[in-house]
Amino acid sequence: MTAPRVTSATPGERSDFGGTERTTVAIVGTGFGGLAMALELLRNGFDDFVLLEKGDDVGGVWRENTYPGAACDIPSPYYSLSYEPNPTWSSRFSPQAEIQQYMRGLVDKYRLRPKIRFGCEVSSATFDEATNTWRIDAGGTTIVANVFVPATGQLSRPKLPDLPGLDEFTGPSFHSAQWDHSVDLTGKRVAVIGTGASAVQFVPAIQPHVAHMTVFQRSAPWILPRPEVQYRKWHHTLFKLVPPVRLAERFGFWLLCEVISLGLVDAPWMRPLISQIALRKLRKEVPDPELRGKLTPDYAAGCKRGLFSDDYLPTFSKPNVSLETTSIERVEPNGVRTADGTLHEADVIIYATGFRATEFLGPITVRGAGGRDLAEVWRDGAFAYKGMSVPGFPNMFLMYGPNTNLGCGSIIYMLETQAGYIAQVIREVARRRGIAVDVREDVCTEYNRALQKRLDRSVWTLCSSWYRNASGRITNNWPGTVLAYRMTARRWQPSDYRTVLPARSTEGVTV
Ligand SMILES: Cc1cc2nc3c(=O)[nH]c(=O)nc-3n(C[C@H](O)[C@H](O)[C@H](O)COP(=O)(O)OP(=O)(O)OC[C@H]3O[C@@H](n4cnc5c(N)ncnc54)[C@H](O)[C@@H]3O)c2cc1C
């Protein structure tokens, strides 16, 4: 394989390059997915790859989500790479900046920076059957790669609400994932639209500063206790000197989430237990029965993402906070009008309305063998074999693809499994120069039939959420434990794939 010509780039600096470049593997994205893939390749002694990143730094969601209070909700000892533990997290639920710093540290440690092209947005990728290569259009350059690994995440494209009048509001407004830090919220009347994972973190964080905050809620989230611990110096020393203690933290939360995951799919009898814990917490933290009624979810626990917080619910008893449950009619120049005709005046609107989660690969035009369009193949909902391979798209492997999200658990664990699987294929593709592998249609169809059958038993069928697309198909979640996924995807099985030789020399053959 020809070694890639790489352009060094530091955060904030745009890579300036043009023309055509050649590499074995092109990875798109430098969130945990892209980095996990790159690190796995390096750990296997393989360095013929580039990472293409539209942003100006690594981090993915941890670069973008800088809202006050942003932190992981899966404890850091578990929400980190297994082979890169960090004994010095400042707390169990580390803040955004620290997580991004951890990721930057990985890039430096593995000397990855020269392989990353910042400011490089991929707009299309086309499989060339004559050469078995992917031609990837990336901000003025064409990358020609044997293997294409999109690691663009499920939550990297913010979604605004579908409300009339969004553009008419005269004050500042922004999405929580694009927080405008130039807007001083001190003494302002703030309208928050949405009560998902991000709102649960920033609502309590901004409450002390604002004059008044109206939170518009469509459905109340289930809130569970957040067992936060500020790690002190002695914790750090213990984690460094006695690794089993650190591993016990990781193992404990891994186990807890595995048990909860069973409750979400296979053990429905556990669900009332989870709701009882949440309802007891609600009773304790919200004394006013009317307010408590509004904050009580009206759907099964676990159906939407369960959230962990000890300060969200008490925020609604503060004198400067109102909870509005009447549906929103429109946004107006001076605020938000609800269906009962009330205008809720606001100086600032913050949209906490989530992401385009079911639109995997989003605006990238991907064309596989025979010119087939991935958007068309996925018109009824995204699917893939083990979340990574789609028939007709040889040598394309998705990180954090369809049905690999979790109701509870560390996505990083899933990404490590995927990186290990893809690295096995890449080794084979690099060894047998010029081949491509394409998952067999029958194998992929049967896998997804069984997967959807399992999902039919899951709690996620009981309400609408970002786990499901417009037609109701669950496209995002994995129906089980992370261990079950690892068992499924720990080994690449060549017999699940067709080996395709370049059209230029011979026809495709099945091994
Ligand atoms: C606020 C927030 C908190 C979260 N907390 C947790 C948690 O506690 N635990 C957990 O398990 N999960 C959590 N998640 C889920 C999180 O998405 C995953 O854990 C993980 O970070 C996903 O990594 P990724 O690399 O797949 O995607 P991302 O982090 O979204 O990275 C994708 C990257 O691809 C780049 N990209 C996208 N399109 C293009 C393009 N066309 N060209 C070039 N580059 C492109 C983006 O700029 C981005 O850098 C959270 C998500 C959010 C938004």
Side-chain angles (χ1 to χ4, degrees):
M1 296 293 162
T2 318
R5 181 166 62 80
V6 289
T7 310
S8 163
T10 50
E13 191 184 19
R14 199 191 146 88
S15 308
D16 266 331
F17 55 98
T20 301
E21 293 188 26
R22 183 79 175 77
T23 183
T24 299
V25 183
I27 303 167
V28 185
T30 58
F32 270 118
L35 296 185
M37 187 68 249
L39 266 48
E40 185 66 23
L41 291 177
L42 288 177
R43 279 155 43 88
N44 281 279
F46 188 92
D47 71 349
D48 189 4
F49 63 86
V50 291
L51 292 123
L52 311 170
E53 170 55 60
K54 70 177 177 183
D56 61 2
D57 199 353
V58 299
V61 299
W62 301 109
R63 181 193 68 233
E64 297 297 299
N65 290 269
T66 60
Y67 57 77
C72 53
D73 57 14
I74 293 295
S76 286
Y78 183 24
Y79 191 63
S80 44
L81 290 163
S82 61
Y83 52 88
E84 283 297 341
N86 174 14
T88 60
W89 292 116
S90 65
S91 53
R92 203 175 250 167
F93 298 92
S94 301
Q96 165 268 332
E98 208 174 318
I99 299 171
Q100 195 190 8
Q101 200 46 44
Y102 168 79
M103 297 170 86
R104 288 194 187 120
L106 295 174
V107 169
D108 292 340
K109 179 174 172 184
Y110 287 83
R111 300 200 172 92
L112 213 50
R113 210 164 283 284
K115 292 191 172 296
I116 306 176
R117 317 303 172 77
F118 291 111
C120 185
E121 179 158 9
V122 172
S123 54
S124 70
T126 307
F127 185 70
D128 176 1
E129 284 165 280
T131 55
N132 265 357
T133 53
W134 282 92
R135 298 180 72 80
I136 299 160
D137 281 327
T141 284
T142 302
I143 307 283
V144 177
N146 299 74
V147 180
F148 170 45
V149 183
T152 52
Q154 295 190 7
L155 307 175
S156 68
R157 294 202 304 133
K159 188 179 75 185
L160 286 174
D162 190 14
L163 287 172
L166 288 196
D167 294 337
E168 290 168 22
F169 185 64
T170 49
S173 63
F174 49 85
H175 189 281
S176 58
Q178 295 162 335
W179 197 272
D180 186 346
H181 292 276
S182 70
V183 177
D184 183 4
L185 298 178
T186 313
K188 299 272 169 43
R189 294 166 303 172
V190 177
V192 174
I193 299 182
T195 52
S198 303
V200 164
Q201 294 187 334
F202 75 73
V203 160
I206 64 173
Q207 174 273 325
H209 310 286
V210 302
H212 188 84
M213 172 161 50
T214 308
V215 178
F216 294 86
Q217 172 190 282
R218 202 161 54 177
S219 63
W222 284 99
I223 307 286
L224 290 161
R226 186 178 196 247
E228 176 63 303
V229 170
Q230 297 299 321
Y231 292 137
R232 299 182 191 286
K233 221 169 168 238
W234 67 264
H235 285 107
H236 296 157
T237 310
L238 199 62
F239 290 159
K240 260 187 229 164
L241 298 182
V242 194
V245 177
R246 177 176 44 71
L247 284 172
E249 277 275 282
R250 182 177 168 90
F251 179 75
F253 287 104
W254 171 82
L255 191 62
L256 179 68
C257 277
E258 294 292 78
V259 171
I260 293 176
S261 297
L262 288 175
L264 297 175
V265 182
D266 294 311
W269 54 267
M270 267 190 223
R271 292 175 205 160
L273 196 72
I274 299 172
S275 19
Q276 283 316 311
I277 295 171
L279 290 173
R280 190 172 325 124
K281 179 179 169 65
L282 180 64
R283 275 196 299 276
K284 205 171 113 204
E285 295 181 352
V286 183
D288 175 6
E290 193 185 331
L291 181 60
R292 196 163 61 233
K294 287 182 177 180
L295 287 166
T296 305
D298 59 1
Y299 54 90
C303 181
K304 295 176 199 276
R305 192 170 160 76
L307 305 172
F308 304 87
S309 174
D310 284 338
D311 52 6
Y312 176 73
L313 293 172
T315 303
F316 291 94
S317 303
K318 307 278 183 197
N320 65 339
V321 179
S322 330
L323 177 65
E324 186 51 62
T325 53
T326 312
S327 60
I328 297 174
E329 194 170 271
R330 59 178 293 114
V331 174
E332 297 194 356
N334 297 325
V336 177
R337 192 172 295 278
T338 41
D340 58 4
T342 311
L343 175 66
H344 303 264
E345 292 196 4
D347 304 310
V348 181
I349 300 180
I350 304 172
Y351 298 107
T353 41
F355 300 88
R356 298 181 176 282
T358 55
E359 297 173 18
F360 292 84
L361 295 191
I364 305 177
T365 304
V366 181
R367 291 198 184 276
R372 77 185 65 177
D373 181 356
L374 187 60
E376 181 57 24
V377 171
W378 280 353
R379 67 185 175 283
D380 296 328
F383 64 89
Y385 181 57
K386 303 191 178 183
M388 292 179 274
S389 303
V390 185
F393 295 81
N395 279 4
M396 177 182 86
F397 301 96
L398 298 143
M399 294 287 287
Y400 199 14
N403 297 108
T404 62
N405 184 56
L406 301 169
C408 190
S410 171
I411 300 300
I412 297 177
Y413 193 98
M414 300 292 276
L415 295 171
E416 275 190 49
T417 301
Q418 288 152 24
Y421 181 97
I422 298 168
Q424 291 171 48
V425 194
I426 289 173
R427 201 176 305 134
E428 184 67 2
V429 169
R431 192 178 68 79
R432 296 175 62 192
R433 190 179 273 253
I435 68 152
V437 294
D438 188 7
V439 69
R440 283 169 38 200
E441 186 112 37
D442 58 327
V443 169
C444 184
T445 303
E446 174 51 27
Y447 172 85
N448 278 286
R449 192 199 55 73
L451 183 108
Q452 287 297 329
K453 200 167 158 218
R454 271 183 65 70
L455 282 166
D456 282 346
R457 293 210 297 270
S458 76
V459 68
W460 305 309
T461 56
L462 303 177
C463 68
S464 66
S465 69
W466 64 263
Y467 304 147
R468 307 174 81 182
N469 70 1
S471 66
R473 183 186 165 97
I474 300 171
T475 52
N476 291 62
N477 280 14
W478 164 249
T481 61
V482 295
L483 185 63
Y485 183 72
R486 181 150 297 183
M487 298 311 282
T488 302
R490 77 186 186 290
R491 289 227 187 295
W492 173 58
Q493 295 291 350
S495 57
D496 291 343
Y497 288 75
R498 288 184 328 119
T499 299
V500 186
L501 302 178
R504 199 188 275 156
S505 53
T506 182
E507 292 292 302
V509 289
T510 306
V511 286

